[in-house]
mmCIF file of all heavy atoms in Angstrom:
data_model
loop_
_atom_site.group_PDB
_atom_site.id
_atom_site.type_symbol
_atom_site.label_atom_id
_atom_site.label_comp_id
_atom_site.label_asym_id
_atom_site.label_seq_id
_atom_site.Cartn_x
_atom_site.Cartn_y
_atom_site.Cartn_z
ATOM 1 N N ALA V 64 105.462 150.137 -61.974
ATOM 2 C CA ALA V 64 105.702 148.848 -61.457
ATOM 3 C C ALA V 64 105.580 147.842 -62.594
ATOM 4 O O ALA V 64 104.500 147.605 -63.255
ATOM 5 C CB ALA V 64 104.626 148.439 -60.405
ATOM 6 N N LEU V 65 106.758 147.214 -63.026
ATOM 7 C CA LEU V 65 106.823 146.364 -64.154
ATOM 8 C C LEU V 65 106.981 144.898 -63.754
ATOM 9 O O LEU V 65 106.665 144.010 -64.652
ATOM 10 C CB LEU V 65 107.962 146.777 -65.111
ATOM 11 C CG LEU V 65 107.650 147.961 -66.022
ATOM 12 C CD1 LEU V 65 108.909 148.272 -66.893
ATOM 13 C CD2 LEU V 65 106.390 147.868 -66.807
ATOM 14 N N HIS V 66 107.460 144.554 -62.684
ATOM 15 C CA HIS V 66 107.698 143.249 -62.209
ATOM 16 C C HIS V 66 106.752 142.952 -61.014
ATOM 17 O O HIS V 66 106.814 143.592 -59.978
ATOM 18 C CB HIS V 66 109.128 142.987 -61.893
ATOM 19 C CG HIS V 66 110.038 143.152 -62.985
ATOM 20 N ND1 HIS V 66 110.186 142.230 -64.010
ATOM 21 C CD2 HIS V 66 110.948 144.181 -63.360
ATOM 22 C CE1 HIS V 66 111.035 142.739 -64.882
ATOM 23 N NE2 HIS V 66 111.502 143.858 -64.497
ATOM 24 N N TRP V 67 105.910 141.944 -61.211
ATOM 25 C CA TRP V 67 104.954 141.629 -60.212
ATOM 26 C C TRP V 67 104.988 140.147 -59.716
ATOM 27 O O TRP V 67 105.331 139.303 -60.493
ATOM 28 C CB TRP V 67 103.449 141.840 -60.758
ATOM 29 C CG TRP V 67 103.157 143.285 -61.026
ATOM 30 C CD1 TRP V 67 103.712 144.086 -62.075
ATOM 31 C CD2 TRP V 67 102.225 144.059 -60.453
ATOM 32 N NE1 TRP V 67 103.108 145.287 -62.097
ATOM 33 C CE2 TRP V 67 102.234 145.363 -60.914
ATOM 34 C CE3 TRP V 67 101.426 143.839 -59.237
ATOM 35 C CZ2 TRP V 67 101.423 146.406 -60.498
ATOM 36 C CZ3 TRP V 67 100.546 144.864 -58.744
ATOM 37 C CH2 TRP V 67 100.644 146.139 -59.415
ATOM 38 N N ALA V 68 104.698 139.999 -58.445
ATOM 39 C CA ALA V 68 104.636 138.674 -57.893
ATOM 40 C C ALA V 68 103.251 138.611 -57.163
ATOM 41 O O ALA V 68 102.922 139.444 -56.425
ATOM 42 C CB ALA V 68 105.744 138.398 -56.879
ATOM 43 N N VAL V 69 102.469 137.575 -57.427
ATOM 44 C CA VAL V 69 101.189 137.458 -56.882
ATOM 45 C C VAL V 69 101.196 136.372 -55.765
ATOM 46 O O VAL V 69 101.522 135.223 -56.096
ATOM 47 C CB VAL V 69 100.108 137.099 -57.966
ATOM 48 C CG1 VAL V 69 98.705 137.091 -57.331
ATOM 49 C CG2 VAL V 69 100.175 138.084 -59.112
ATOM 50 N N ASP V 70 100.966 136.771 -54.632
ATOM 51 C CA ASP V 70 101.005 135.810 -53.437
ATOM 52 C C ASP V 70 99.660 135.218 -53.214
ATOM 53 O O ASP V 70 98.645 135.936 -52.906
ATOM 54 C CB ASP V 70 101.427 136.670 -52.164
ATOM 55 C CG ASP V 70 101.459 135.767 -50.902
ATOM 56 O OD1 ASP V 70 101.167 134.593 -51.069
ATOM 57 O OD2 ASP V 70 101.869 136.345 -49.908
ATOM 58 N N LEU V 71 99.570 133.916 -53.433
ATOM 59 C CA LEU V 71 98.324 133.161 -53.374
ATOM 60 C C LEU V 71 98.186 132.333 -52.100
ATOM 61 O O LEU V 71 97.293 131.492 -51.970
ATOM 62 C CB LEU V 71 98.145 132.296 -54.609
ATOM 63 C CG LEU V 71 98.151 133.042 -55.996
ATOM 64 C CD1 LEU V 71 98.122 132.004 -57.118
ATOM 65 C CD2 LEU V 71 96.870 133.913 -56.146
ATOM 66 N N SER V 72 99.176 132.470 -51.184
ATOM 67 C CA SER V 72 99.208 131.627 -50.080
ATOM 68 C C SER V 72 97.991 131.625 -49.224
ATOM 69 O O SER V 72 97.730 130.652 -48.554
ATOM 70 C CB SER V 72 100.522 131.997 -49.146
ATOM 71 O OG SER V 72 100.341 133.308 -48.745
ATOM 72 N N ASP V 73 97.244 132.729 -49.146
ATOM 73 C CA ASP V 73 96.005 132.766 -48.304
ATOM 74 C C ASP V 73 94.736 132.799 -49.155
ATOM 75 O O ASP V 73 93.662 133.217 -48.613
ATOM 76 C CB ASP V 73 96.059 134.091 -47.471
ATOM 77 C CG ASP V 73 97.219 133.911 -46.347
ATOM 78 O OD1 ASP V 73 97.452 132.834 -45.909
ATOM 79 O OD2 ASP V 73 97.830 134.954 -46.102
ATOM 80 N N VAL V 74 94.823 132.359 -50.370
ATOM 81 C CA VAL V 74 93.659 132.389 -51.256
ATOM 82 C C VAL V 74 92.983 131.010 -51.156
ATOM 83 O O VAL V 74 93.586 129.974 -51.360
ATOM 84 C CB VAL V 74 94.010 132.735 -52.674
ATOM 85 C CG1 VAL V 74 92.881 132.495 -53.607
ATOM 86 C CG2 VAL V 74 94.635 134.193 -52.734
ATOM 87 N N ASN V 75 91.656 131.043 -50.915
ATOM 88 C CA ASN V 75 90.821 129.772 -50.981
ATOM 89 C C ASN V 75 90.336 129.566 -52.339
ATOM 90 O O ASN V 75 90.297 128.411 -52.784
ATOM 91 C CB ASN V 75 89.756 129.879 -49.860
ATOM 92 C CG ASN V 75 90.170 130.161 -48.541
ATOM 93 O OD1 ASN V 75 91.167 129.547 -48.140
ATOM 94 N ND2 ASN V 75 89.501 130.993 -47.855
ATOM 95 N N PHE V 76 89.862 130.655 -52.857
ATOM 96 C CA PHE V 76 89.111 130.485 -54.150
ATOM 97 C C PHE V 76 89.559 131.666 -55.025
ATOM 98 O O PHE V 76 89.489 132.875 -54.662
ATOM 99 C CB PHE V 76 87.672 130.483 -53.873
ATOM 100 C CG PHE V 76 86.769 130.693 -55.162
ATOM 101 C CD1 PHE V 76 86.616 129.636 -56.053
ATOM 102 C CD2 PHE V 76 86.225 131.877 -55.398
ATOM 103 C CE1 PHE V 76 85.895 129.792 -57.142
ATOM 104 C CE2 PHE V 76 85.390 132.002 -56.568
ATOM 105 C CZ PHE V 76 85.257 131.000 -57.479
ATOM 106 N N LEU V 77 89.759 131.427 -56.269
ATOM 107 C CA LEU V 77 90.171 132.471 -57.251
ATOM 108 C C LEU V 77 89.173 132.303 -58.455
ATOM 109 O O LEU V 77 89.220 131.311 -59.141
ATOM 110 C CB LEU V 77 91.573 132.235 -57.772
ATOM 111 C CG LEU V 77 92.344 133.437 -58.380
ATOM 112 C CD1 LEU V 77 92.493 134.664 -57.440
ATOM 113 C CD2 LEU V 77 93.669 132.965 -58.890
ATOM 114 N N SER V 78 88.275 133.271 -58.587
ATOM 115 C CA SER V 78 87.287 133.217 -59.587
ATOM 116 C C SER V 78 87.908 133.412 -61.031
ATOM 117 O O SER V 78 88.983 133.947 -61.126
ATOM 118 C CB SER V 78 86.199 134.270 -59.383
ATOM 119 O OG SER V 78 86.729 135.579 -59.617
ATOM 120 N N SER V 79 87.172 133.012 -62.054
ATOM 121 C CA SER V 79 87.652 133.229 -63.400
ATOM 122 C C SER V 79 87.911 134.764 -63.711
ATOM 123 O O SER V 79 88.973 135.097 -64.327
ATOM 124 C CB SER V 79 86.720 132.603 -64.382
ATOM 125 O OG SER V 79 86.670 131.293 -64.239
ATOM 126 N N PRO V 80 87.035 135.658 -63.337
ATOM 127 C CA PRO V 80 87.349 137.063 -63.474
ATOM 128 C C PRO V 80 88.643 137.568 -62.822
ATOM 129 O O PRO V 80 89.410 138.336 -63.401
ATOM 130 C CB PRO V 80 86.125 137.780 -62.999
ATOM 131 C CG PRO V 80 85.018 136.811 -63.034
ATOM 132 C CD PRO V 80 85.691 135.456 -62.778
ATOM 133 N N ALA V 81 88.909 136.917 -61.652
ATOM 134 C CA ALA V 81 90.173 137.309 -60.994
ATOM 135 C C ALA V 81 91.379 136.783 -61.793
ATOM 136 O O ALA V 81 92.393 137.510 -61.939
ATOM 137 C CB ALA V 81 90.270 136.714 -59.593
ATOM 138 N N VAL V 82 91.265 135.576 -62.293
ATOM 139 C CA VAL V 82 92.332 135.000 -63.143
ATOM 140 C C VAL V 82 92.497 135.931 -64.381
ATOM 141 O O VAL V 82 93.625 136.279 -64.877
ATOM 142 C CB VAL V 82 92.044 133.548 -63.549
ATOM 143 C CG1 VAL V 82 93.022 133.137 -64.687
ATOM 144 C CG2 VAL V 82 92.076 132.603 -62.365
ATOM 145 N N GLY V 83 91.436 136.323 -64.848
ATOM 146 C CA GLY V 83 91.394 137.291 -66.037
ATOM 147 C C GLY V 83 92.018 138.565 -65.737
ATOM 148 O O GLY V 83 92.817 139.083 -66.583
ATOM 149 N N ALA V 84 91.828 139.132 -64.552
ATOM 150 C CA ALA V 84 92.506 140.319 -64.142
ATOM 151 C C ALA V 84 93.990 140.182 -64.030
ATOM 152 O O ALA V 84 94.812 141.044 -64.541
ATOM 153 C CB ALA V 84 91.997 140.834 -62.788
ATOM 154 N N ILE V 85 94.448 138.980 -63.550
ATOM 155 C CA ILE V 85 95.863 138.699 -63.518
ATOM 156 C C ILE V 85 96.459 138.528 -64.907
ATOM 157 O O ILE V 85 97.572 139.019 -65.181
ATOM 158 C CB ILE V 85 96.169 137.425 -62.670
ATOM 159 C CG1 ILE V 85 95.780 137.723 -61.191
ATOM 160 C CG2 ILE V 85 97.588 136.988 -62.752
ATOM 161 C CD1 ILE V 85 95.750 136.476 -60.276
ATOM 162 N N MET V 86 95.674 137.852 -65.788
ATOM 163 C CA MET V 86 96.179 137.699 -67.175
ATOM 164 C C MET V 86 96.292 139.060 -67.826
ATOM 165 O O MET V 86 97.119 139.293 -68.630
ATOM 166 C CB MET V 86 95.327 136.725 -67.989
ATOM 167 C CG MET V 86 95.285 135.320 -67.430
ATOM 168 S SD MET V 86 96.897 134.582 -67.634
ATOM 169 C CE MET V 86 96.959 134.156 -69.327
ATOM 170 N N GLY V 87 95.327 139.959 -67.503
ATOM 171 C CA GLY V 87 95.321 141.298 -68.078
ATOM 172 C C GLY V 87 96.565 142.035 -67.691
ATOM 173 O O GLY V 87 97.177 142.744 -68.502
ATOM 174 N N LEU V 88 96.938 141.891 -66.388
ATOM 175 C CA LEU V 88 98.090 142.582 -65.873
ATOM 176 C C LEU V 88 99.349 142.019 -66.606
ATOM 177 O O LEU V 88 100.278 142.726 -67.041
ATOM 178 C CB LEU V 88 98.222 142.352 -64.353
ATOM 179 C CG LEU V 88 99.480 142.890 -63.720
ATOM 180 C CD1 LEU V 88 99.707 144.367 -63.905
ATOM 181 C CD2 LEU V 88 99.561 142.556 -62.215
ATOM 182 N N ARG V 89 99.397 140.696 -66.823
ATOM 183 C CA ARG V 89 100.422 140.061 -67.510
ATOM 184 C C ARG V 89 100.658 140.659 -68.939
ATOM 185 O O ARG V 89 101.787 141.037 -69.299
ATOM 186 C CB ARG V 89 100.172 138.516 -67.668
ATOM 187 C CG ARG V 89 101.260 137.809 -68.389
ATOM 188 C CD ARG V 89 100.915 136.417 -68.894
ATOM 189 N NE ARG V 89 101.896 135.931 -69.810
ATOM 190 C CZ ARG V 89 102.017 136.172 -71.119
ATOM 191 N NH1 ARG V 89 101.073 136.878 -71.694
ATOM 192 N NH2 ARG V 89 102.919 135.645 -71.794
ATOM 193 N N SER V 90 99.590 140.822 -69.685
ATOM 194 C CA SER V 90 99.648 141.402 -70.950
ATOM 195 C C SER V 90 100.259 142.780 -70.954
ATOM 196 O O SER V 90 101.211 143.087 -71.771
ATOM 197 C CB SER V 90 98.321 141.549 -71.616
ATOM 198 O OG SER V 90 97.727 140.274 -71.760
ATOM 199 N N ARG V 91 99.890 143.574 -69.979
ATOM 200 C CA ARG V 91 100.439 144.921 -69.928
ATOM 201 C C ARG V 91 101.963 144.905 -69.547
ATOM 202 O O ARG V 91 102.679 145.645 -70.192
ATOM 203 C CB ARG V 91 99.622 145.743 -68.806
ATOM 204 C CG ARG V 91 98.258 145.971 -69.246
ATOM 205 C CD ARG V 91 97.321 146.302 -68.041
ATOM 206 N NE ARG V 91 97.460 147.742 -67.690
ATOM 207 C CZ ARG V 91 96.818 148.367 -66.670
ATOM 208 N NH1 ARG V 91 96.022 147.588 -65.907
ATOM 209 N NH2 ARG V 91 97.000 149.577 -66.385
ATOM 210 N N VAL V 92 102.360 144.134 -68.490
ATOM 211 C CA VAL V 92 103.756 144.200 -68.165
ATOM 212 C C VAL V 92 104.637 143.574 -69.139
ATOM 213 O O VAL V 92 105.748 144.065 -69.379
ATOM 214 C CB VAL V 92 103.940 143.592 -66.669
ATOM 215 C CG1 VAL V 92 103.310 144.415 -65.655
ATOM 216 C CG2 VAL V 92 103.582 142.174 -66.620
ATOM 217 N N VAL V 93 104.207 142.426 -69.735
ATOM 218 C CA VAL V 93 105.090 141.722 -70.679
ATOM 219 C C VAL V 93 105.329 142.639 -71.887
ATOM 220 O O VAL V 93 106.373 142.643 -72.448
ATOM 221 C CB VAL V 93 104.382 140.337 -71.122
ATOM 222 C CG1 VAL V 93 105.115 139.794 -72.366
ATOM 223 C CG2 VAL V 93 104.498 139.408 -69.967
ATOM 224 N N SER V 94 104.359 143.389 -72.308
ATOM 225 C CA SER V 94 104.468 144.305 -73.472
ATOM 226 C C SER V 94 105.540 145.428 -73.188
ATOM 227 O O SER V 94 106.084 145.986 -74.090
ATOM 228 C CB SER V 94 103.186 144.977 -73.843
ATOM 229 O OG SER V 94 102.787 145.855 -72.866
ATOM 230 N N ARG V 95 105.785 145.582 -71.895
ATOM 231 C CA ARG V 95 106.902 146.588 -71.589
ATOM 232 C C ARG V 95 108.114 145.931 -70.933
ATOM 233 O O ARG V 95 108.832 146.494 -70.149
ATOM 234 C CB ARG V 95 106.285 147.634 -70.572
ATOM 235 C CG ARG V 95 105.230 148.503 -71.292
ATOM 236 C CD ARG V 95 104.607 149.496 -70.391
ATOM 237 N NE ARG V 95 105.569 150.395 -69.779
ATOM 238 C CZ ARG V 95 105.315 151.134 -68.664
ATOM 239 N NH1 ARG V 95 104.132 151.129 -68.088
ATOM 240 N NH2 ARG V 95 106.258 151.904 -68.119
ATOM 241 N N LEU V 96 108.273 144.626 -71.330
ATOM 242 C CA LEU V 96 109.396 143.793 -70.914
ATOM 243 C C LEU V 96 109.444 143.574 -69.429
ATOM 244 O O LEU V 96 110.516 143.347 -68.792
ATOM 245 C CB LEU V 96 110.749 144.338 -71.416
ATOM 246 C CG LEU V 96 110.870 144.559 -72.923
ATOM 247 C CD1 LEU V 96 112.229 145.192 -73.268
ATOM 248 C CD2 LEU V 96 110.639 143.257 -73.693
ATOM 249 N N GLY V 97 108.292 143.600 -68.775
ATOM 250 C CA GLY V 97 108.172 143.290 -67.373
ATOM 251 C C GLY V 97 107.847 141.861 -67.179
ATOM 252 O O GLY V 97 107.957 141.027 -68.132
ATOM 253 N N SER V 98 107.386 141.497 -65.904
ATOM 254 C CA SER V 98 107.153 140.093 -65.630
ATOM 255 C C SER V 98 106.102 139.957 -64.555
ATOM 256 O O SER V 98 105.824 140.870 -63.834
ATOM 257 C CB SER V 98 108.457 139.412 -65.188
ATOM 258 O OG SER V 98 108.782 139.917 -63.894
ATOM 259 N N ILE V 99 105.547 138.793 -64.530
ATOM 260 C CA ILE V 99 104.557 138.468 -63.375
ATOM 261 C C ILE V 99 104.759 137.010 -63.043
ATOM 262 O O ILE V 99 104.917 136.111 -63.976
ATOM 263 C CB ILE V 99 103.195 138.847 -63.845
ATOM 264 C CG1 ILE V 99 102.204 138.580 -62.628
ATOM 265 C CG2 ILE V 99 102.623 138.086 -65.070
ATOM 266 C CD1 ILE V 99 100.820 139.274 -62.758
ATOM 267 N N SER V 100 104.707 136.715 -61.822
ATOM 268 C CA SER V 100 104.759 135.369 -61.333
ATOM 269 C C SER V 100 103.750 135.092 -60.225
ATOM 270 O O SER V 100 103.370 136.006 -59.537
ATOM 271 C CB SER V 100 106.192 135.078 -60.693
ATOM 272 O OG SER V 100 107.184 135.329 -61.577
ATOM 273 N N LEU V 101 103.364 133.882 -60.077
ATOM 274 C CA LEU V 101 102.428 133.484 -58.996
ATOM 275 C C LEU V 101 103.337 132.640 -58.028
ATOM 276 O O LEU V 101 104.198 131.914 -58.402
ATOM 277 C CB LEU V 101 101.407 132.600 -59.502
ATOM 278 C CG LEU V 101 100.625 133.149 -60.772
ATOM 279 C CD1 LEU V 101 99.559 132.107 -61.146
ATOM 280 C CD2 LEU V 101 99.898 134.434 -60.378
ATOM 281 N N PHE V 102 102.946 132.695 -56.725
ATOM 282 C CA PHE V 102 103.554 131.726 -55.789
ATOM 283 C C PHE V 102 102.634 131.395 -54.636
ATOM 284 O O PHE V 102 101.663 132.027 -54.302
ATOM 285 C CB PHE V 102 104.941 132.359 -55.276
ATOM 286 C CG PHE V 102 104.819 133.515 -54.325
ATOM 287 C CD1 PHE V 102 104.681 133.325 -52.993
ATOM 288 C CD2 PHE V 102 104.829 134.833 -54.880
ATOM 289 C CE1 PHE V 102 104.619 134.467 -52.078
ATOM 290 C CE2 PHE V 102 104.721 135.931 -54.002
ATOM 291 C CZ PHE V 102 104.621 135.685 -52.597
ATOM 292 N N ALA V 103 102.969 130.175 -54.128
ATOM 293 C CA ALA V 103 102.329 129.563 -52.994
ATOM 294 C C ALA V 103 100.893 129.345 -53.025
ATOM 295 O O ALA V 103 100.064 129.408 -52.113
ATOM 296 C CB ALA V 103 102.588 130.553 -51.710
#
Side-chain angles (χ1 to χ4, degrees):
Chain V
L65 285 181
H66 296 286
W67 291 71
V69 184
D70 182 354
L71 300 173
S72 58
D73 293 325
V74 173
N75 301 318
F76 169 76
L77 197 64
S78 67
S79 297
V82 172
I85 292 170
M86 292 299 279
L88 175 58
R89 178 196 171 273
S90 299
R91 294 163 80 183
V92 294
V93 166
S94 70
R95 291 178 59 195
L96 303 179
S98 69
I99 183 165
S100 301
L101 309 176
F102 68 91

